[in-house]
PDB file of all heavy atoms in Angstrom:
ATOM      1  N   ALA A 155       4.914   4.158   3.657  1.00  0.00           N
ATOM      2  CA  ALA A 155       3.532   3.752   4.043  1.00  0.00           C
ATOM      3  C   ALA A 155       2.950   4.749   5.010  1.00  0.00           C
ATOM      4  O   ALA A 155       1.786   5.121   4.920  1.00  0.00           O
ATOM      5  CB  ALA A 155       3.546   2.392   4.665  1.00  0.00           C
ATOM      6  N   GLN A 156       3.761   5.236   5.970  1.00  0.00           N
ATOM      7  CA  GLN A 156       3.262   6.193   6.968  1.00  0.00           C
ATOM      8  C   GLN A 156       2.916   7.519   6.305  1.00  0.00           C
ATOM      9  O   GLN A 156       2.052   8.257   6.823  1.00  0.00           O
ATOM     10  CB  GLN A 156       4.307   6.423   8.045  1.00  0.00           C
ATOM     11  CG  GLN A 156       4.445   5.195   8.971  1.00  0.00           C
ATOM     12  CD  GLN A 156       5.564   5.327   9.944  1.00  0.00           C
ATOM     13  OE1 GLN A 156       6.368   6.260   9.887  1.00  0.00           O
ATOM     14  NE2 GLN A 156       5.644   4.406  10.883  1.00  0.00           N
ATOM     15  N   LYS A 157       3.529   7.850   5.197  1.00  0.00           N
ATOM     16  CA  LYS A 157       3.266   9.089   4.493  1.00  0.00           C
ATOM     17  C   LYS A 157       2.169   8.930   3.420  1.00  0.00           C
ATOM     18  O   LYS A 157       1.836   9.890   2.704  1.00  0.00           O
ATOM     19  CB  LYS A 157       4.534   9.668   3.884  1.00  0.00           C
ATOM     20  CG  LYS A 157       5.582   9.975   4.938  1.00  0.00           C
ATOM     21  CD  LYS A 157       6.443  11.113   4.490  1.00  0.00           C
ATOM     22  CE  LYS A 157       7.474  11.369   5.536  1.00  0.00           C
ATOM     23  NZ  LYS A 157       7.126  12.387   6.437  1.00  0.00           N
ATOM     24  N   GLY A 158       1.645   7.733   3.290  1.00  0.00           N
ATOM     25  CA  GLY A 158       0.532   7.502   2.368  1.00  0.00           C
ATOM     26  C   GLY A 158       0.928   7.109   0.964  1.00  0.00           C
ATOM     27  O   GLY A 158       0.104   7.087   0.066  1.00  0.00           O
ATOM     28  N   GLY A 159       2.230   6.810   0.732  1.00  0.00           N
ATOM     29  CA  GLY A 159       2.659   6.364  -0.582  1.00  0.00           C
ATOM     30  C   GLY A 159       2.137   5.005  -0.966  1.00  0.00           C
ATOM     31  O   GLY A 159       1.895   4.168  -0.098  1.00  0.00           O
ATOM     32  N   ARG A 160       1.934   4.798  -2.278  1.00  0.00           N
ATOM     33  CA  ARG A 160       1.416   3.527  -2.711  1.00  0.00           C
ATOM     34  C   ARG A 160       2.429   2.785  -3.594  1.00  0.00           C
ATOM     35  O   ARG A 160       2.600   1.588  -3.480  1.00  0.00           O
ATOM     36  CB  ARG A 160       0.105   3.744  -3.503  1.00  0.00           C
ATOM     37  CG  ARG A 160      -1.002   4.258  -2.632  1.00  0.00           C
ATOM     38  CD  ARG A 160      -2.296   4.445  -3.427  1.00  0.00           C
ATOM     39  NE  ARG A 160      -2.120   5.308  -4.577  1.00  0.00           N
ATOM     40  CZ  ARG A 160      -2.335   6.617  -4.576  1.00  0.00           C
ATOM     41  NH1 ARG A 160      -2.745   7.222  -3.511  1.00  0.00           N
ATOM     42  NH2 ARG A 160      -2.150   7.353  -5.656  1.00  0.00           N
ATOM     43  N   GLU A 161       3.091   3.493  -4.494  1.00  0.00           N
ATOM     44  CA  GLU A 161       4.105   2.889  -5.382  1.00  0.00           C
ATOM     45  C   GLU A 161       5.311   3.801  -5.268  1.00  0.00           C
ATOM     46  O   GLU A 161       5.236   5.011  -5.525  1.00  0.00           O
ATOM     47  CB  GLU A 161       3.615   2.861  -6.836  1.00  0.00           C
ATOM     48  CG  GLU A 161       2.400   2.009  -7.061  1.00  0.00           C
ATOM     49  CD  GLU A 161       2.651   0.527  -6.989  1.00  0.00           C
ATOM     50  OE1 GLU A 161       3.793   0.101  -7.312  1.00  0.00           O
ATOM     51  OE2 GLU A 161       1.739  -0.202  -6.563  1.00  0.00           O
ATOM     52  N   SER A 162       6.463   3.259  -4.909  1.00  0.00           N
ATOM     53  CA  SER A 162       7.615   4.068  -4.643  1.00  0.00           C
ATOM     54  C   SER A 162       8.851   3.604  -5.392  1.00  0.00           C
ATOM     55  O   SER A 162       9.032   2.412  -5.621  1.00  0.00           O
ATOM     56  CB  SER A 162       7.932   4.013  -3.116  1.00  0.00           C
ATOM     57  OG  SER A 162       8.951   4.925  -2.794  1.00  0.00           O
ATOM     58  N   LEU A 163       9.663   4.567  -5.761  1.00  0.00           N
ATOM     59  CA  LEU A 163      10.974   4.277  -6.342  1.00  0.00           C
ATOM     60  C   LEU A 163      11.984   4.419  -5.216  1.00  0.00           C
ATOM     61  O   LEU A 163      12.086   5.460  -4.595  1.00  0.00           O
ATOM     62  CB  LEU A 163      11.313   5.291  -7.455  1.00  0.00           C
ATOM     63  CG  LEU A 163      12.722   5.217  -8.036  1.00  0.00           C
ATOM     64  CD1 LEU A 163      12.976   3.891  -8.727  1.00  0.00           C
ATOM     65  CD2 LEU A 163      12.961   6.370  -8.976  1.00  0.00           C
ATOM     66  N   ILE A 164      12.695   3.356  -4.939  1.00  0.00           N
ATOM     67  CA  ILE A 164      13.693   3.350  -3.860  1.00  0.00           C
ATOM     68  C   ILE A 164      15.063   3.141  -4.505  1.00  0.00           C
ATOM     69  O   ILE A 164      15.309   2.116  -5.134  1.00  0.00           O
ATOM     70  CB  ILE A 164      13.360   2.311  -2.790  1.00  0.00           C
ATOM     71  CG1 ILE A 164      12.023   2.588  -2.201  1.00  0.00           C
ATOM     72  CG2 ILE A 164      14.474   2.284  -1.754  1.00  0.00           C
ATOM     73  CD1 ILE A 164      11.550   1.634  -1.126  1.00  0.00           C
ATOM     74  N   LEU A 165      15.937   4.138  -4.332  1.00  0.00           N
ATOM     75  CA  LEU A 165      17.281   4.084  -4.875  1.00  0.00           C
ATOM     76  C   LEU A 165      18.232   3.685  -3.759  1.00  0.00           C
ATOM     77  O   LEU A 165      18.392   4.465  -2.787  1.00  0.00           O
ATOM     78  CB  LEU A 165      17.651   5.443  -5.513  1.00  0.00           C
ATOM     79  CG  LEU A 165      16.788   5.890  -6.653  1.00  0.00           C
ATOM     80  CD1 LEU A 165      17.128   7.279  -7.088  1.00  0.00           C
ATOM     81  CD2 LEU A 165      16.960   4.916  -7.812  1.00  0.00           C
ATOM     82  N   MET A 166      18.883   2.558  -3.896  1.00  0.00           N
ATOM     83  CA  MET A 166      19.833   2.051  -2.886  1.00  0.00           C
ATOM     84  C   MET A 166      21.163   1.805  -3.581  1.00  0.00           C
ATOM     85  O   MET A 166      21.284   0.813  -4.305  1.00  0.00           O
ATOM     86  CB  MET A 166      19.301   0.763  -2.287  1.00  0.00           C
ATOM     87  CG  MET A 166      17.992   0.882  -1.567  1.00  0.00           C
ATOM     88  SD  MET A 166      17.407  -0.720  -0.913  1.00  0.00           S
ATOM     89  CE  MET A 166      18.689  -1.086   0.283  1.00  0.00           C
ATOM     90  N   GLY A 167      22.155   2.658  -3.351  1.00  0.00           N
ATOM     91  CA  GLY A 167      23.422   2.474  -3.958  1.00  0.00           C
ATOM     92  C   GLY A 167      23.297   2.481  -5.464  1.00  0.00           C
ATOM     93  O   GLY A 167      22.886   3.462  -6.054  1.00  0.00           O
ATOM     94  N   ASP A 168      23.642   1.384  -6.100  1.00  0.00           N
ATOM     95  CA  ASP A 168      23.574   1.304  -7.572  1.00  0.00           C
ATOM     96  C   ASP A 168      22.290   0.657  -8.080  1.00  0.00           C
ATOM     97  O   ASP A 168      22.171   0.354  -9.246  1.00  0.00           O
ATOM     98  CB  ASP A 168      24.775   0.465  -8.103  1.00  0.00           C
ATOM     99  CG  ASP A 168      26.076   1.249  -7.969  1.00  0.00           C
ATOM    100  OD1 ASP A 168      26.025   2.496  -7.896  1.00  0.00           O
ATOM    101  OD2 ASP A 168      27.139   0.625  -7.949  1.00  0.00           O
ATOM    102  N   ALA A 169      21.336   0.405  -7.184  1.00  0.00           N
ATOM    103  CA  ALA A 169      20.102  -0.264  -7.563  1.00  0.00           C
ATOM    104  C   ALA A 169      18.892   0.674  -7.452  1.00  0.00           C
ATOM    105  O   ALA A 169      18.826   1.493  -6.514  1.00  0.00           O
ATOM    106  CB  ALA A 169      19.843  -1.480  -6.715  1.00  0.00           C
TER     107      ALA A 169
END
Side-chain angles (χ1 to χ4, degrees):
Q156 289 173 352
K157 299 210 181 265
R160 294 181 303 267
E161 298 287 329
S162 186
L163 172 65
I164 299 179
L165 299 172
M166 299 178 64
D168 288 338

